[in-house]
Amino acid sequence: MAKLASLKSEKRLLDRRAADQIRSHILEGVLPAGERLLETQLSEELEVSRGTVRSALAQLANEGLVKQVAFTRWEVSGASVSDAWEIYTLRGALEGLGARLAAANVQAADGKRLRAIAEELVQAVRQKRFQDAIGIDFDLHTAIVGLAHHKRLAEQHRFILQQVRFHMVQSGFLPDDYEALIAEHQKLIETVIAGDADHAETLARNHNEAEVKLLAKLLKQGASSAGAAREAAS
Amino acid sequence: MAKLASLKSEKRLLDRRAADQIRSHILEGVLPAGERLLETQLSEELEVSRGTVRSALAQLANEGLVKQVAFTRWEVSGASVSDAWEIYTLRGALEGLGARLAAANVQAADGKRLRAIAEELVQAVRQKRFQDAIGIDFDLHTAIVGLAHHKRLAEQHRFILQQVRFHMVQSGFLPDDYEALIAEHQKLIETVIAGDADHAETLARNHNEAEVKLLAKLLKQGASSAGAAREAAS
DNA sequence: CGCTTGCTGATTGCTGACAATCAAGCGACT
DNA sequence: AGTCGCTTGATTGTCAGCAATCAGCAAGCG
């Protein structure tokens, strides 16, 4: 008998699927930072009950995409400079650990897989499919972190990358030098494949160092102005 | 006018308070790893509706203390070797970042506060109040991370420390050399106070290195046997 | 005797209605 | 004019009941 695909992927719990819908709207920028979310409205649009929407919003709150003000409102998280600084510094720490562990137990097949994704990235840039390139960039980092075989780390990293994506959409931030980006990634994955844990960690950590320094500077200067993002009241 | 305490702390949402109750039961070891949790039973004991219990359990699931098996059951998370390894490695990365940032923007008053907590730790050990000492140990680490002024980091760190505490209760693990513990902490806080970010990060990261190495070894050897903890089926 | 199949009780998932809370606007009083 | 207190409409928080799903067991079949 031919192997059948599991139906569980279809049978996702309703609240999870509701969360998926709302999440994509947020990540695509349809719902901008600070936007108020009404339980009733969402429940009508998604054709589920308010309780289900509530559960979905609670999940998104844990992922950092949504914020709850008790008894008052739900709103899409802000994209302030301090938020961005938090996101990028945390990302560095998580990906540093991920790269270290990945390098420590990398297999030959893993290396092939990483190089394949890196090649996709190169192709996307060469063909000027920059949106794709950003997605592949994320995939590459996710793949490296995946090699750590660390469930908690993988989950936290997923949430952080989501927030990075969200902040990029809100602030209109885009990489300015794709060639340098490619070079950095290639160096990172080769170091991981070589099994050099210390060096891999450093590279992963410094990957966003420029961005972090810029944000820290903005923070000290006096708070607000995150690209084109409107500041949410904190 | 003297500063008044917010009343919101009393007016906590019902589901938060329900989560608090269940959480303490788990952390105190009343509910052991792998124990099944029935929504109906909990709702009767806490005198709230099942929906509220459900919301509380979802929160605890995000904190890593409880696990949901869809359509089937809720259970207290396992305390396997791999869980412990994940928890301690993540802890190292988070506290490393925390210590680095703390050292970078530490103030004189912060130093006084850290030294005061360290002194409490010393007193607790001298008076052989070892349970207190463990709590103060956690407070100290929390205080350092707090100096980073990093909300996301602080929250994640809180969750990780909870899981550390849970694992300690389940496995019966206790420090064996309190004098060494004191010395390590003192060195860490003095380095933070001195503003030596690199060194502080390294110290914070290596604080649990021995435990991590032991766990990694156990993991490679062949999975199960986390102290006296019963292994939960993963 | 071993395997499949269909039931059954228990448990979780979801919904609609009710209660508590909030912010905003209006009017009275100082 | 400005502040306080009330009312009101909107929104979130909580509840109790119905529907969907599952693990286990017993009957049927080879």
Side-chain angles (χ1 to χ4, degrees), chain B residues 121-183:
Chain B
L121 177 62
V122 170
Q123 291 304 324
V125 169
R126 293 276 179 275
Q127 298 166 20
K128 302 200 187 304
R129 291 182 284 112
F130 295 124
Q131 278 305 319
D132 290 356
I134 292 175
I136 297 169
D137 178 351
F138 284 0
D139 291 345
L140 187 51
H141 286 285
T142 302
I144 295 174
V145 170
L147 295 182
H149 300 297
H150 192 306
K151 282 181 290 187
R152 287 167 176 80
L153 175 62
E155 188 182 20
Q156 289 307 316
H157 182 250
R158 212 183 82 232
F159 292 164
I160 280 290
L161 271 199
Q162 269 181 193
Q163 295 183 63
V164 169
R165 169 165 256 147
F166 173 66
H167 190 266
M168 284 173 72
V169 169
Q170 293 300 310
S171 67
F173 174 80
L174 287 176
D176 53 352
D177 184 347
Y178 285 92
E179 292 303 326
L181 196 84
I182 290 176

Side-chain angles (χ1 to χ4, degrees), chain A residues 13 16 62 68 71 83 85-87 89-90 97 101 148-152 156 163 201 205, chain B residues 13 16 62 68 71 83 85-87 89-90 94 97 101 148-152 156 163 201 205:
Chain A
L13 262 22
R16 308 294 176 93
N62 292 11
Q68 179 180 30
F71 290 108
D83 286 319
W85 174 80
E86 290 195 4
I87 291 167
T89 47
L90 238 183
L97 174 60
L101 295 173
H149 300 298
H150 193 305
K151 281 182 291 187
R152 286 169 177 79
Q156 290 307 315
Q163 295 183 64
E201 171 173 1
R205 252 243 294 257
Chain B
L13 263 21
R16 308 293 176 94
N62 293 6
Q68 178 180 32
F71 289 109
D83 286 318
W85 174 81
E86 290 195 4
I87 291 166
T89 48
L90 238 184
L94 295 178
L97 174 60
L101 295 173
H149 300 297
H150 192 306
K151 282 181 290 187
R152 287 167 176 80
Q156 289 307 316
Q163 295 183 63
E201 171 173 2
R205 252 245 293 262

Side-chain angles (χ1 to χ4, degrees), chain B residues 1-6:
Chain B
M1 168 165 50
K3 194 172 181 184
L4 297 176
S6 163

